[in-house]
Amino acid sequence: MTVTAPAGFEAAGVAAGLKSTGKSDVAVVVNRGPLKVGAAVFTSNRAKANPILWSEQVITDGIVEAVVLNSGGANCFTGSFGFQTTHQTAEKAAELLGVAPGDILVCSTGLIGTGDETFRAKVLEGVEAGVAALSADGGLDAAHAIMTTDSVAKTSVYAGDGWTIGGIAKGAGMLAPGLATMLVVITTDAVLTASDADAHLRAATHVSFDRLDSDGCMSTNDQVSLLVSGASGVEPDAAAFRAGLVALCDDLARQLQGDAEGASHDITIRVVHAASEEDAVEVGRSIARNNLFKAAIFGNDPNWGRVLAAIGTTQAAFDPYDVDVWMNGVRVCSAGGPDAPREQVDLTPRATHLVVDLKVGDVEATIRTNDLTHDYVHENSAYSS
Amino acid sequence: MTVTAPAGFEAAGVAAGLKSTGKSDVAVVVNRGPLKVGAAVFTSNRAKANPILWSEQVITDGIVEAVVLNSGGANCFTGSFGFQTTHQTAEKAAELLGVAPGDILVCSTGLIGTGDETFRAKVLEGVEAGVAALSADGGLDAAHAIMTTDSVAKTSVYAGDGWTIGGIAKGAGMLAPGLATMLVVITTDAVLTASDADAHLRAATHVSFDRLDSDGCMSTNDQVSLLVSGASGVEPDAAAFRAGLVALCDDLARQLQGDAEGASHDITIRVVHAASEEDAVEVGRSIARNNLFKAAIFGNDPNWGRVLAAIGTTQAAFDPYDVDVWMNGVRVCSAGGPDAPREQVDLTPRATHLVVDLKVGDVEATIRTNDLTHDYVHENSAYSS
């Protein structure tokens, strides 16, 4: 039920010694065709890891043969040596697969600044072992090999009308901006052109991964790739394919949110009656990034004042004194003043629903985030990543 | 050594029952003249508390007789009833002092949404008791009465050439944007016009309180007031007065940083060789607001990769692959790659010094922040504020 669910793909995940735990750390996903179409979106951070710099070039012609991914080292800020490592990774995979190096996407995740000779040697060994282990049901192995602080592998499948989409993901965060390195590989056996694949992928990530804002920090290594084999022989209805891809991305985004580092609440922030999508997203993001609000939710405190203080920092069109706020179904603030007593709000469930009604238009958007917890501080202070 | 250090001022701090602890919670600072000049700067949050809405009107004519401050309730998002409470607070003080209500600044801090009839009654009682308790050495009492989660009162005095500046502060944060309600009252017996006072205050807060960014959250109630009595009879040299005011504001800002909620490190982020002041501040702020970096510092982890990932999100002019990063005197990153081993960095002292060299210009700026700690999460999740 992963990237090997659609026809035309093989995958593998192997242990190359990059993780000190000895767990698998190199994944390979190969497109056996007949089409070799690819699309990808990358972190918008100007500080880009070497695999991002490489993959941005690979994707320009819309042809992708395979994706090689490693955990255990981000290969970011490792200079020209690090870029050569990425280049050699692609060359090694290309040689073993009998394809061109310029059609191999590379993704890395782990500690920034990690990418020395030992790292290079292990990655190259991992590519060799990974290609040797490729199989038509290796998708779950690949999903495991890209995990870092993830507690579970993230996978998803969407069954269309004669075509299938499959995906694996790791990390917790959003893409543009993005964080904590989110790596996603999506495959499909639908028949798509490169430009269609690119358009569908951008549209789907825009409303899914881009709206997952666990802690507001943007990664140097985020990458979402879509590989198209066309092996089903079916040209999908464009709207149906887009809807399927959105559903799959949204499912993976929810899994990332549900496994975010140290979180105890999955917070869905729905901003309604905004004047524009930009306004709704800006308002939602301002709440998602407010540490005081996020700490309050951790403490099961329905502190709507912190919501209003957060959105007051935005440029979005609304009257701060005519906003309604709902928490888990209770309207705690109406027209910018107290409404139902905060005691009526039960914040003990992990799923937390916040609705902010701006009362100025008819557009809405949903941003997903997590609370700010002791475990978040612990995970991000006790371990380098 | 507070607001009553300069000649011409009286102050008081009294307990009016707003704090459940029974500690003092209403402060009054009165300018006895001969000048009654005032200036003030306010939160840039669009969600403004009632005392901000009131005080913004009071300050327009540059005349201030007194400041009334309360803790134990922010009187924000409390509707027209709350605005009337602020109005009545000013009227009560004006009546007791024999001055015009329109010359009374009002400040509040505490939980947003708090401002009911009980709150109003207690504040008005507090004003009465406060005015009755006014004395020429009541500044420290006033400093105590505005404390909320502060562990110590913040006070400062600057002695000029024949004139003096005094100040009290509470909270932890910055003004524009600002957070966790920072209230500051500054007094001086220098002879200044209203427009000079305004210009000096804006210039001083711009490089002090505005660059203190403890947790990136902006308050609805931040206010910094400057009261000018002229009682020294001395017209100060403009540059000397500005330098003194900057020094006093910087001293108070450091005290706020040193007492920030739950912090274990005071982080000074110096951005050097920037192309512009805006760039330097944007880069510094991006680091100050990066939870992953702040958690790493809490864990004494010199994680320079998180610094580069943070600044890569800015629009500032620099080459991400040609930046140097110094932590506590050790250059851990040069030209966008690893330099000295991270083991050489000692992050155990509370004072943490980060230098980021952008290598493009000759401008620098300093931003102050704190680490992200378990105690921060605890304080902001266990108690409503």
Side-chain angles (χ1 to χ4, degrees):
Chain A
M1 300 298 282
T2 69
V3 284
T4 43
F9 294 95
E10 292 183 354
V14 296
L18 292 161
K19 283 179 181 163
S20 57
T21 57
K23 292 187 177 172
S24 61
D25 42 28
V26 171
V28 183
V29 179
V30 176
N31 182 355
R32 296 301 189 183
L35 299 181
K36 300 299 178 72
V37 167
V41 291
F42 306 96
T43 180
S44 61
N45 200 317
R46 291 165 59 196
K48 296 179 202 297
N50 286 306
I52 298 292
L53 297 171
W54 169 265
S55 297
E56 284 180 338
Q57 297 308 311
V58 168
I59 208 62
T60 50
D61 66 359
I63 300 171
V64 175
E65 295 277 356
V67 189
V68 177
L69 312 92
N70 77 272
S71 50
N75 193 8
C76 180
F77 291 118
T78 47
S80 59
F81 182 86
F83 188 80
Q84 287 162 18
T85 297
T86 297
H87 193 165
Q88 289 185 22
T89 303
E91 283 189 330
K92 168 69 83 176
E95 179 195 327
L96 295 167
L97 294 169
V99 300
D103 296 332
I104 309 285
L105 293 171
V106 180
C107 303
S108 299
T109 177
L111 185 64
I112 291 176
T114 302
D116 59 7
E117 291 181 26
T118 308
F119 172 85
R120 179 189 286 183
K122 288 179 177 175
V123 169
L124 295 178
E125 284 170 31
V127 172
E128 196 148 350
V131 171
L134 284 170
S135 85
D137 57 5
L140 190 59
D141 289 344
H144 278 110
I146 60 175
M147 289 167 61
T148 51
T149 58
D150 307 65
S151 68
V152 292
K154 285 88 176 174
T155 68
S156 187
V157 168
Y158 183 90
D161 187 11
W163 45 268
T164 303
I165 313 175
I168 59 175
K170 67 81 46 180
M174 65 174 174
L175 192 73
L179 90 122
T181 307
M182 179 184 64
L183 299 183
V184 181
V185 180
I186 302 167
T187 57
T188 183
D189 52 16
V191 175
L192 297 175
T193 65
S195 68
D196 283 347
D198 181 71
H200 287 312
L201 184 63
R202 288 181 191 283
T205 55
H206 179 63
V207 295
S208 56
F209 300 117
D210 282 359
R211 296 194 179 167
L212 173 61
D213 195 337
S214 181
D215 71 356
C217 297
M218 190 192 295
S219 161
T220 51
N221 288 60
D222 286 342
Q223 182 169 334
V224 180
S225 309
L226 171 62
L227 276 57
V228 180
S229 71
S232 70
V234 177
E235 276 187 52
D237 173 74
F241 186 84
R242 169 115 15 139
L245 190 60
V246 167
L248 180 124
C249 289
D250 202 48
D251 181 35
L252 289 173
R254 282 171 194 249
Q255 291 179 50
L256 293 173
Q257 179 189 29
D259 196 27
E261 291 176 357
S264 71
H265 288 80
D266 298 335
I267 309 171
T268 304
I269 302 166
R270 203 171 139 234
V271 180
V272 302
H273 296 130
S276 68
E277 185 184 349
E278 293 69 31
D279 278 7
V281 170
E282 185 191 4
V283 166
R285 236 185 249 304
S286 73
I287 301 165
R289 295 184 176 177
N290 188 282
N291 279 351
L292 292 174
F293 167 74
K294 290 155 76 88
I297 296 299
F298 168 57
N300 298 331
D301 172 14
N303 197 318
W304 57 267
R306 294 181 180 175
V307 173
L308 292 180
I311 72 175
T313 65
T314 70
Q315 303 301 312
F318 66 88
D319 175 356
Y321 307 100
D322 189 21
V323 166
D324 291 358
V325 178
W326 302 68
M327 284 186 173
N328 282 357
V330 179
R331 193 174 64 188
V332 284
C333 167
S334 62
D339 193 343
R342 55 179 70 211
E343 292 72 27
Q344 290 182 13
V345 182
D346 179 10
L347 285 172
T348 54
R350 182 175 178 103
T352 308
H353 294 275
L354 180 72
V355 178
V356 177
D357 188 343
L358 299 182
K359 302 187 190 176
V360 286
D362 56 5
V363 184
E364 71 168 85
T366 296
I367 297 283
R368 298 180 193 284
T369 190
N370 295 102
D371 52 352
L372 179 60
T373 69
H374 289 299
D375 286 348
Y376 176 88
V377 174
H378 179 70
E379 287 210 27
N380 289 298
S381 61
Y383 312 107
S384 263
S385 62
Chain B
M1 300 297 286
T2 69
V3 285
T4 44
F9 294 96
E10 292 183 354
V14 297
L18 292 161
K19 283 179 181 163
S20 57
T21 57
K23 292 187 177 172
S24 62
D25 44 27
V26 171
V28 183
V29 179
V30 177
N31 182 356
R32 296 301 190 183
L35 300 181
K36 300 298 180 73
V37 166
V41 290
F42 306 96
T43 180
S44 60
N45 200 317
R46 291 165 60 197
K48 297 177 200 295
N50 286 305
I52 297 291
L53 297 172
W54 170 264
S55 298
E56 283 180 338
Q57 298 307 311
V58 169
I59 208 62
T60 52
D61 66 358
I63 301 171
V64 174
E65 295 277 356
V67 189
V68 177
L69 312 93
N70 76 274
S71 50
N75 193 10
C76 180
F77 292 117
T78 47
S80 59
F81 181 87
F83 189 80
Q84 287 163 19
T85 297
T86 297
H87 194 166
Q88 289 184 22
T89 302
E91 283 188 330
K92 168 68 83 176
E95 178 195 329
L96 296 166
L97 295 168
V99 300
D103 297 331
I104 308 286
L105 293 171
V106 180
C107 302
S108 299
T109 177
L111 185 63
I112 291 176
T114 302
D116 60 6
E117 290 181 26
T118 308
F119 171 86
R120 178 189 286 183
K122 288 178 176 175
V123 169
L124 295 178
E125 283 170 29
V127 172
E128 196 146 353
V131 170
L134 283 169
S135 86
D137 56 5
L140 190 58
D141 290 343
H144 278 110
I146 60 176
M147 288 166 62
T148 52
T149 57
D150 305 66
S151 67
V152 293
K154 285 87 175 174
T155 68
S156 188
V157 167
Y158 183 91
D161 186 11
W163 46 268
T164 303
I165 314 175
I168 59 175
K170 66 83 43 180
M174 65 173 174
L175 192 73
L179 90 123
T181 307
M182 180 183 64
L183 298 182
V184 181
V185 180
I186 302 166
T187 57
T188 184
D189 51 17
V191 175
L192 297 174
T193 65
S195 69
D196 284 346
D198 181 72
H200 288 312
L201 185 63
R202 288 182 191 282
T205 55
H206 179 63
V207 295
S208 56
F209 300 117
D210 281 359
R211 296 194 179 166
L212 173 62
D213 194 336
S214 182
D215 72 355
C217 297
M218 191 192 295
S219 162
T220 52
N221 288 60
D222 286 343
Q223 184 169 333
V224 180
S225 308
L226 171 62
L227 276 58
V228 180
S229 73
S232 70
V234 177
E235 278 187 49
D237 172 74
F241 185 84
R242 171 127 355 152
L245 189 60
V246 167
L248 181 124
C249 288
D250 202 47
D251 180 36
L252 289 172
R254 281 171 195 250
Q255 291 179 49
L256 293 172
Q257 179 190 27
D259 196 27
E261 290 175 359
S264 70
H265 289 79
D266 298 335
I267 308 170
T268 305
I269 303 166
R270 203 171 140 236
V271 180
V272 302
H273 297 131
S276 68
E277 184 183 350
E278 293 67 33
D279 278 6
V281 170
E282 185 191 4
V283 165
R285 235 186 250 304
S286 73
I287 302 165
R289 294 185 177 176
N290 187 281
N291 279 351
L292 292 174
F293 166 74
K294 291 155 75 87
I297 297 299
F298 168 57
N300 298 331
D301 172 14
N303 198 319
W304 56 268
R306 293 181 181 175
V307 173
L308 292 181
I311 72 176
T313 66
T314 70
Q315 303 300 313
F318 66 88
D319 175 356
Y321 306 101
D322 189 20
V323 167
D324 292 358
V325 178
W326 302 69
M327 284 187 173
N328 283 358
V330 179
R331 192 174 65 188
V332 284
C333 166
S334 62
D339 193 342
R342 56 178 70 210
E343 292 71 26
Q344 291 183 12
V345 182
D346 179 11
L347 284 173
T348 53
R350 182 175 178 102
T352 307
H353 294 276
L354 180 72
V355 178
V356 177
D357 188 343
L358 299 182
K359 303 186 188 176
V360 286
D362 58 3
V363 184
E364 70 168 85
T366 296
I367 297 285
R368 297 179 192 285
T369 190
N370 295 101
D371 53 351
L372 179 60
T373 68
H374 288 299
D375 286 350
Y376 176 88
V377 174
H378 179 70
E379 287 210 28
N380 289 297
S381 62
Y383 313 108
S384 264
S385 63

